mmCIF file of all heavy atoms in Angstrom:
data_model
loop_
_atom_site.group_PDB
_atom_site.id
_atom_site.type_symbol
_atom_site.label_atom_id
_atom_site.label_comp_id
_atom_site.label_asym_id
_atom_site.label_seq_id
_atom_site.Cartn_x
_atom_site.Cartn_y
_atom_site.Cartn_z
ATOM 1 N N ALA A 118 27.001 74.790 -26.272
ATOM 2 C CA ALA A 118 28.008 75.468 -27.090
ATOM 3 C C ALA A 118 29.357 74.854 -26.819
ATOM 4 O O ALA A 118 30.313 74.901 -27.674
ATOM 5 C CB ALA A 118 28.085 76.915 -26.848
ATOM 6 N N LEU A 119 29.508 74.228 -25.654
ATOM 7 C CA LEU A 119 30.900 73.710 -25.146
ATOM 8 C C LEU A 119 30.686 72.226 -24.788
ATOM 9 O O LEU A 119 30.822 71.907 -23.602
ATOM 10 C CB LEU A 119 31.335 74.480 -24.026
ATOM 11 C CG LEU A 119 31.470 76.049 -24.269
ATOM 12 C CD1 LEU A 119 31.650 76.760 -22.957
ATOM 13 C CD2 LEU A 119 32.677 76.362 -25.180
ATOM 14 N N PRO A 120 30.462 71.413 -25.729
ATOM 15 C CA PRO A 120 30.132 69.897 -25.430
ATOM 16 C C PRO A 120 31.336 69.239 -24.691
ATOM 17 O O PRO A 120 31.016 68.172 -24.073
ATOM 18 C CB PRO A 120 29.773 69.274 -26.773
ATOM 19 C CG PRO A 120 30.507 70.196 -27.757
ATOM 20 C CD PRO A 120 30.388 71.559 -27.150
ATOM 21 N N GLU A 121 32.528 69.651 -24.858
ATOM 22 C CA GLU A 121 33.678 69.010 -24.312
ATOM 23 C C GLU A 121 34.147 69.707 -23.022
ATOM 24 O O GLU A 121 35.236 69.452 -22.579
ATOM 25 C CB GLU A 121 34.820 68.927 -25.359
ATOM 26 C CG GLU A 121 34.346 67.989 -26.457
ATOM 27 C CD GLU A 121 35.521 68.004 -27.586
ATOM 28 O OE1 GLU A 121 35.593 69.011 -28.353
ATOM 29 O OE2 GLU A 121 36.120 66.982 -27.697
ATOM 30 N N THR A 122 33.241 70.609 -22.409
ATOM 31 C CA THR A 122 33.466 71.343 -21.188
ATOM 32 C C THR A 122 32.494 70.798 -20.243
ATOM 33 O O THR A 122 31.283 70.742 -20.535
ATOM 34 C CB THR A 122 33.507 72.811 -21.421
ATOM 35 O OG1 THR A 122 34.505 73.142 -22.454
ATOM 36 C CG2 THR A 122 33.779 73.661 -20.221
ATOM 37 N N ALA A 123 32.894 70.687 -18.980
ATOM 38 C CA ALA A 123 31.877 70.371 -17.947
ATOM 39 C C ALA A 123 31.394 71.592 -17.238
ATOM 40 O O ALA A 123 32.145 72.328 -16.506
ATOM 41 C CB ALA A 123 32.481 69.464 -16.808
ATOM 42 N N VAL A 124 30.166 72.057 -17.617
ATOM 43 C CA VAL A 124 29.645 73.266 -17.135
ATOM 44 C C VAL A 124 28.925 73.008 -15.751
ATOM 45 O O VAL A 124 28.118 71.985 -15.699
ATOM 46 C CB VAL A 124 28.652 73.898 -18.135
ATOM 47 C CG1 VAL A 124 28.008 75.216 -17.500
ATOM 48 C CG2 VAL A 124 29.286 74.282 -19.360
ATOM 49 N N VAL A 125 29.217 73.822 -14.761
ATOM 50 C CA VAL A 125 28.607 73.729 -13.468
ATOM 51 C C VAL A 125 27.971 75.101 -13.042
ATOM 52 O O VAL A 125 28.733 76.131 -13.044
ATOM 53 C CB VAL A 125 29.513 73.235 -12.359
ATOM 54 C CG1 VAL A 125 28.812 73.130 -10.974
ATOM 55 C CG2 VAL A 125 30.159 71.802 -12.701
ATOM 56 N N LYS A 126 26.623 75.064 -12.802
ATOM 57 C CA LYS A 126 26.049 76.342 -12.415
ATOM 58 C C LYS A 126 26.041 76.502 -10.872
ATOM 59 O O LYS A 126 25.721 75.490 -10.163
ATOM 60 C CB LYS A 126 24.558 76.440 -12.909
ATOM 61 C CG LYS A 126 23.857 77.656 -12.679
ATOM 62 C CD LYS A 126 24.325 78.692 -13.747
ATOM 63 C CE LYS A 126 23.611 80.044 -13.537
ATOM 64 N NZ LYS A 126 23.924 80.841 -14.737
ATOM 65 N N THR A 127 26.365 77.660 -10.330
ATOM 66 C CA THR A 127 26.335 77.862 -8.925
ATOM 67 C C THR A 127 26.416 79.392 -8.678
ATOM 68 O O THR A 127 26.809 80.187 -9.513
ATOM 69 C CB THR A 127 27.488 77.118 -8.186
ATOM 70 O OG1 THR A 127 27.126 77.134 -6.760
ATOM 71 C CG2 THR A 127 28.783 77.662 -8.512
ATOM 72 N N LEU A 128 26.157 79.770 -7.434
ATOM 73 C CA LEU A 128 26.451 81.115 -6.876
ATOM 74 C C LEU A 128 25.690 82.255 -7.611
ATOM 75 O O LEU A 128 26.105 83.412 -7.351
ATOM 76 C CB LEU A 128 27.899 81.451 -6.889
ATOM 77 C CG LEU A 128 28.818 80.628 -6.003
ATOM 78 C CD1 LEU A 128 30.318 81.026 -6.118
ATOM 79 C CD2 LEU A 128 28.415 80.623 -4.580
ATOM 80 N N ASN A 129 24.710 81.886 -8.301
ATOM 81 C CA ASN A 129 23.941 83.028 -9.051
ATOM 82 C C ASN A 129 22.693 83.518 -8.303
ATOM 83 O O ASN A 129 21.926 84.354 -8.867
ATOM 84 C CB ASN A 129 23.568 82.550 -10.410
ATOM 85 C CG ASN A 129 22.522 81.504 -10.476
ATOM 86 O OD1 ASN A 129 22.655 80.501 -9.778
ATOM 87 N ND2 ASN A 129 21.384 81.730 -11.136
ATOM 88 N N THR A 130 22.366 83.087 -7.116
ATOM 89 C CA THR A 130 21.137 83.371 -6.392
ATOM 90 C C THR A 130 21.389 84.247 -5.259
ATOM 91 O O THR A 130 20.767 84.164 -4.180
ATOM 92 C CB THR A 130 20.458 82.173 -5.923
ATOM 93 O OG1 THR A 130 21.349 81.343 -5.215
ATOM 94 C CG2 THR A 130 20.053 81.252 -7.132
ATOM 95 N N MET A 131 22.379 85.231 -5.310
ATOM 96 C CA MET A 131 22.846 86.045 -4.197
ATOM 97 C C MET A 131 23.506 87.276 -4.734
ATOM 98 O O MET A 131 23.935 87.303 -5.984
ATOM 99 C CB MET A 131 23.792 85.245 -3.324
ATOM 100 C CG MET A 131 25.123 84.807 -4.014
ATOM 101 S SD MET A 131 25.933 83.488 -3.173
ATOM 102 C CE MET A 131 24.816 82.069 -3.530
ATOM 103 N N LEU A 132 23.553 88.280 -3.880
ATOM 104 C CA LEU A 132 24.372 89.475 -4.171
ATOM 105 C C LEU A 132 25.854 89.005 -4.256
ATOM 106 O O LEU A 132 26.213 88.139 -3.469
ATOM 107 C CB LEU A 132 24.213 90.517 -3.207
ATOM 108 C CG LEU A 132 24.712 91.946 -3.564
ATOM 109 C CD1 LEU A 132 23.956 92.585 -4.622
ATOM 110 C CD2 LEU A 132 24.866 92.802 -2.325
ATOM 111 N N PHE A 133 26.629 89.638 -5.164
ATOM 112 C CA PHE A 133 27.934 89.182 -5.411
ATOM 113 C C PHE A 133 28.915 89.088 -4.189
ATOM 114 O O PHE A 133 29.724 88.232 -4.087
ATOM 115 C CB PHE A 133 28.699 90.023 -6.505
ATOM 116 C CG PHE A 133 28.910 91.464 -6.147
ATOM 117 C CD1 PHE A 133 30.057 91.759 -5.539
ATOM 118 C CD2 PHE A 133 27.890 92.380 -6.284
ATOM 119 C CE1 PHE A 133 30.270 93.142 -5.135
ATOM 120 C CE2 PHE A 133 28.127 93.720 -5.910
ATOM 121 C CZ PHE A 133 29.335 94.046 -5.310
ATOM 122 N N THR A 134 28.550 89.999 -3.244
ATOM 123 C CA THR A 134 29.479 89.940 -2.029
ATOM 124 C C THR A 134 29.243 88.635 -1.199
ATOM 125 O O THR A 134 30.162 88.247 -0.605
ATOM 126 C CB THR A 134 29.120 91.182 -1.170
ATOM 127 O OG1 THR A 134 27.752 91.092 -0.720
ATOM 128 C CG2 THR A 134 29.358 92.441 -1.785
ATOM 129 N N VAL A 135 28.124 88.045 -1.264
ATOM 130 C CA VAL A 135 27.831 86.859 -0.460
ATOM 131 C C VAL A 135 28.544 85.640 -1.086
ATOM 132 O O VAL A 135 28.854 84.694 -0.407
ATOM 133 C CB VAL A 135 26.288 86.607 -0.414
ATOM 134 C CG1 VAL A 135 25.996 85.331 0.406
ATOM 135 C CG2 VAL A 135 25.560 87.753 0.129
ATOM 136 N N MET A 136 28.942 85.585 -2.435
ATOM 137 C CA MET A 136 29.567 84.542 -3.086
ATOM 138 C C MET A 136 30.789 84.171 -2.221
ATOM 139 O O MET A 136 31.139 82.903 -2.154
ATOM 140 C CB MET A 136 30.032 84.924 -4.449
ATOM 141 C CG MET A 136 28.779 85.160 -5.398
ATOM 142 S SD MET A 136 29.550 85.655 -7.047
ATOM 143 C CE MET A 136 27.946 85.765 -7.985
ATOM 144 N N ALA A 137 31.547 85.102 -1.665
ATOM 145 C CA ALA A 137 32.767 84.804 -1.101
ATOM 146 C C ALA A 137 32.737 85.079 0.481
ATOM 147 O O ALA A 137 33.813 85.067 1.160
ATOM 148 C CB ALA A 137 33.991 85.478 -1.678
ATOM 149 N N ASP A 138 31.469 85.350 0.948
ATOM 150 C CA ASP A 138 31.343 85.711 2.328
ATOM 151 C C ASP A 138 30.005 85.215 2.857
ATOM 152 O O ASP A 138 29.181 85.997 3.355
ATOM 153 C CB ASP A 138 31.517 87.204 2.595
ATOM 154 C CG ASP A 138 31.662 87.549 4.086
ATOM 155 O OD1 ASP A 138 31.853 86.632 4.836
ATOM 156 O OD2 ASP A 138 31.539 88.728 4.337
ATOM 157 N N PRO A 139 29.673 83.872 2.715
ATOM 158 C CA PRO A 139 28.309 83.464 3.059
ATOM 159 C C PRO A 139 27.861 83.619 4.528
ATOM 160 O O PRO A 139 26.726 83.786 4.819
ATOM 161 C CB PRO A 139 28.307 82.009 2.613
ATOM 162 C CG PRO A 139 29.776 81.573 2.686
ATOM 163 C CD PRO A 139 30.439 82.784 2.257
ATOM 164 N N THR A 140 28.889 83.551 5.419
ATOM 165 C CA THR A 140 28.522 83.709 6.876
ATOM 166 C C THR A 140 28.261 85.131 7.301
ATOM 167 O O THR A 140 27.946 85.408 8.388
ATOM 168 C CB THR A 140 29.667 83.103 7.654
ATOM 169 O OG1 THR A 140 30.931 83.905 7.390
ATOM 170 C CG2 THR A 140 29.866 81.722 7.342
ATOM 171 N N SER A 141 28.317 86.091 6.369
ATOM 172 C CA SER A 141 27.946 87.451 6.610
ATOM 173 C C SER A 141 26.485 87.741 6.835
ATOM 174 O O SER A 141 26.044 88.668 7.382
ATOM 175 C CB SER A 141 28.386 88.407 5.501
ATOM 176 O OG SER A 141 27.831 88.092 4.339
ATOM 177 N N LEU A 142 25.569 86.693 6.366
ATOM 178 C CA LEU A 142 24.189 86.885 6.539
ATOM 179 C C LEU A 142 23.678 86.328 7.847
ATOM 180 O O LEU A 142 24.411 85.446 8.456
ATOM 181 C CB LEU A 142 23.557 86.114 5.419
ATOM 182 C CG LEU A 142 23.950 86.727 3.956
ATOM 183 C CD1 LEU A 142 23.173 85.881 2.954
ATOM 184 C CD2 LEU A 142 23.608 88.121 3.775
ATOM 185 N N ARG A 143 22.502 86.874 8.341
ATOM 186 C CA ARG A 143 22.087 86.346 9.652
ATOM 187 C C ARG A 143 21.536 84.941 9.537
ATOM 188 O O ARG A 143 21.482 84.116 10.487
ATOM 189 C CB ARG A 143 20.831 87.277 10.082
ATOM 190 C CG ARG A 143 21.330 88.623 10.461
ATOM 191 C CD ARG A 143 20.230 89.390 11.215
ATOM 192 N NE ARG A 143 19.094 89.661 10.372
ATOM 193 C CZ ARG A 143 18.965 90.764 9.719
ATOM 194 N NH1 ARG A 143 19.931 91.710 9.673
ATOM 195 N NH2 ARG A 143 17.864 90.954 8.893
ATOM 196 N N ALA A 144 21.029 84.558 8.242
ATOM 197 C CA ALA A 144 20.496 83.143 8.096
ATOM 198 C C ALA A 144 21.500 82.502 7.132
ATOM 199 O O ALA A 144 22.067 83.151 6.250
ATOM 200 C CB ALA A 144 19.104 83.247 7.608
ATOM 201 N N ALA A 145 21.605 81.193 7.179
ATOM 202 C CA ALA A 145 22.475 80.422 6.295
ATOM 203 C C ALA A 145 21.912 80.392 4.897
ATOM 204 O O ALA A 145 20.799 79.958 4.644
ATOM 205 C CB ALA A 145 22.607 78.971 6.807
ATOM 206 N N PRO A 146 22.639 80.851 3.949
ATOM 207 C CA PRO A 146 22.183 80.875 2.456
ATOM 208 C C PRO A 146 22.500 79.522 1.867
ATOM 209 O O PRO A 146 23.043 78.622 2.500
ATOM 210 C CB PRO A 146 23.093 81.976 1.870
ATOM 211 C CG PRO A 146 24.372 81.917 2.636
ATOM 212 C CD PRO A 146 23.996 81.603 4.091
ATOM 213 N N THR A 147 22.039 79.331 0.632
ATOM 214 C CA THR A 147 22.231 78.097 0.013
ATOM 215 C C THR A 147 22.876 78.365 -1.340
ATOM 216 O O THR A 147 22.572 79.297 -2.058
ATOM 217 C CB THR A 147 20.896 77.342 -0.374
ATOM 218 O OG1 THR A 147 20.134 77.155 0.902
ATOM 219 C CG2 THR A 147 21.096 76.089 -1.048
ATOM 220 N N ALA A 148 23.980 77.562 -1.650
ATOM 221 C CA ALA A 148 24.644 77.550 -2.944
ATOM 222 C C ALA A 148 24.109 76.445 -3.750
ATOM 223 O O ALA A 148 24.452 75.210 -3.373
ATOM 224 C CB ALA A 148 26.126 77.537 -2.771
ATOM 225 N N PHE A 149 23.412 76.548 -4.810
ATOM 226 C CA PHE A 149 22.872 75.495 -5.638
ATOM 227 C C PHE A 149 23.911 75.026 -6.628
ATOM 228 O O PHE A 149 24.671 75.892 -7.216
ATOM 229 C CB PHE A 149 21.654 75.980 -6.319
ATOM 230 C CG PHE A 149 20.483 76.331 -5.333
ATOM 231 C CD1 PHE A 149 20.249 77.657 -5.070
ATOM 232 C CD2 PHE A 149 19.695 75.301 -4.743
ATOM 233 C CE1 PHE A 149 19.253 78.035 -4.158
ATOM 234 C CE2 PHE A 149 18.712 75.655 -3.776
ATOM 235 C CZ PHE A 149 18.488 77.060 -3.483
ATOM 236 N N LEU A 150 23.991 73.724 -6.961
ATOM 237 C CA LEU A 150 24.862 73.198 -8.044
ATOM 238 C C LEU A 150 23.960 72.627 -9.043
ATOM 239 O O LEU A 150 22.979 71.788 -8.684
ATOM 240 C CB LEU A 150 25.702 72.231 -7.453
ATOM 241 C CG LEU A 150 26.980 72.644 -6.567
ATOM 242 C CD1 LEU A 150 27.712 71.377 -6.077
ATOM 243 C CD2 LEU A 150 27.875 73.522 -7.356
ATOM 244 N N SER A 151 24.328 72.777 -10.283
ATOM 245 C CA SER A 151 23.609 72.038 -11.462
ATOM 246 C C SER A 151 24.766 71.666 -12.420
ATOM 247 O O SER A 151 25.585 72.547 -12.783
ATOM 248 C CB SER A 151 22.577 73.019 -12.142
ATOM 249 O OG SER A 151 21.548 73.352 -11.235
ATOM 250 N N GLY A 152 24.711 70.468 -12.884
ATOM 251 C CA GLY A 152 25.656 70.095 -13.862
ATOM 252 C C GLY A 152 25.483 68.552 -14.242
ATOM 253 O O GLY A 152 25.026 67.860 -13.454
ATOM 254 N N ASN A 153 26.018 68.312 -15.381
ATOM 255 C CA ASN A 153 25.848 66.852 -15.894
ATOM 256 C C ASN A 153 26.996 65.956 -15.426
ATOM 257 O O ASN A 153 26.834 64.796 -15.430
ATOM 258 C CB ASN A 153 25.845 66.864 -17.420
ATOM 259 C CG ASN A 153 24.628 67.549 -18.103
ATOM 260 O OD1 ASN A 153 23.615 67.622 -17.390
ATOM 261 N ND2 ASN A 153 24.745 67.980 -19.249
ATOM 262 N N ASP A 154 28.139 66.569 -15.024
ATOM 263 C CA ASP A 154 29.357 65.764 -14.600
ATOM 264 C C ASP A 154 29.455 65.788 -13.119
ATOM 265 O O ASP A 154 29.695 66.791 -12.495
ATOM 266 C CB ASP A 154 30.604 66.466 -15.358
ATOM 267 C CG ASP A 154 31.847 65.596 -15.116
ATOM 268 O OD1 ASP A 154 32.141 65.198 -13.912
ATOM 269 O OD2 ASP A 154 32.450 65.325 -16.167
ATOM 270 N N GLU A 155 29.290 64.542 -12.542
ATOM 271 C CA GLU A 155 29.325 64.449 -11.065
ATOM 272 C C GLU A 155 30.662 64.799 -10.559
ATOM 273 O O GLU A 155 30.792 65.430 -9.446
ATOM 274 C CB GLU A 155 28.905 62.966 -10.609
ATOM 275 C CG GLU A 155 27.456 62.674 -10.973
ATOM 276 C CD GLU A 155 26.384 63.658 -10.323
ATOM 277 O OE1 GLU A 155 26.713 63.981 -9.163
ATOM 278 O OE2 GLU A 155 25.485 63.921 -10.950
ATOM 279 N N GLY A 156 31.684 64.372 -11.242
ATOM 280 C CA GLY A 156 33.102 64.665 -10.781
ATOM 281 C C GLY A 156 33.344 66.200 -10.755
ATOM 282 O O GLY A 156 33.991 66.690 -9.762
ATOM 283 N N ALA A 157 32.899 66.839 -11.826
ATOM 284 C CA ALA A 157 33.071 68.321 -11.895
ATOM 285 C C ALA A 157 32.373 68.996 -10.709
ATOM 286 O O ALA A 157 32.920 70.009 -10.073
ATOM 287 C CB ALA A 157 32.551 68.897 -13.245
ATOM 288 N N LYS A 158 31.138 68.507 -10.412
ATOM 289 C CA LYS A 158 30.469 69.095 -9.287
ATOM 290 C C LYS A 158 31.072 68.886 -8.002
ATOM 291 O O LYS A 158 31.109 69.801 -7.163
ATOM 292 C CB LYS A 158 28.919 68.614 -9.267
ATOM 293 C CG LYS A 158 28.064 69.175 -10.371
ATOM 294 C CD LYS A 158 26.607 68.832 -10.092
ATOM 295 C CE LYS A 158 26.315 67.365 -10.335
ATOM 296 N NZ LYS A 158 24.816 67.131 -10.333
ATOM 297 N N ALA A 159 31.714 67.680 -7.839
ATOM 298 C CA ALA A 159 32.458 67.454 -6.592
ATOM 299 C C ALA A 159 33.646 68.448 -6.422
ATOM 300 O O ALA A 159 33.993 68.998 -5.423
ATOM 301 C CB ALA A 159 32.936 66.107 -6.540
#
Side-chain angles (χ1 to χ4, degrees):
L119 304 165
E121 296 176 286
T122 301
V124 178
V125 179
K126 186 78 182 191
T127 193
L128 295 181
N129 68 304
T130 56
M131 60 201 69
L132 192 70
F133 66 94
T134 58
V135 181
M136 294 179 176
D138 192 14
T140 59
S141 63
L142 301 180
R143 290 194 296 269
T147 303
F149 299 100
L150 285 178
S151 299
N153 295 337
D154 189 305
E155 296 300 322
K158 285 192 287 186

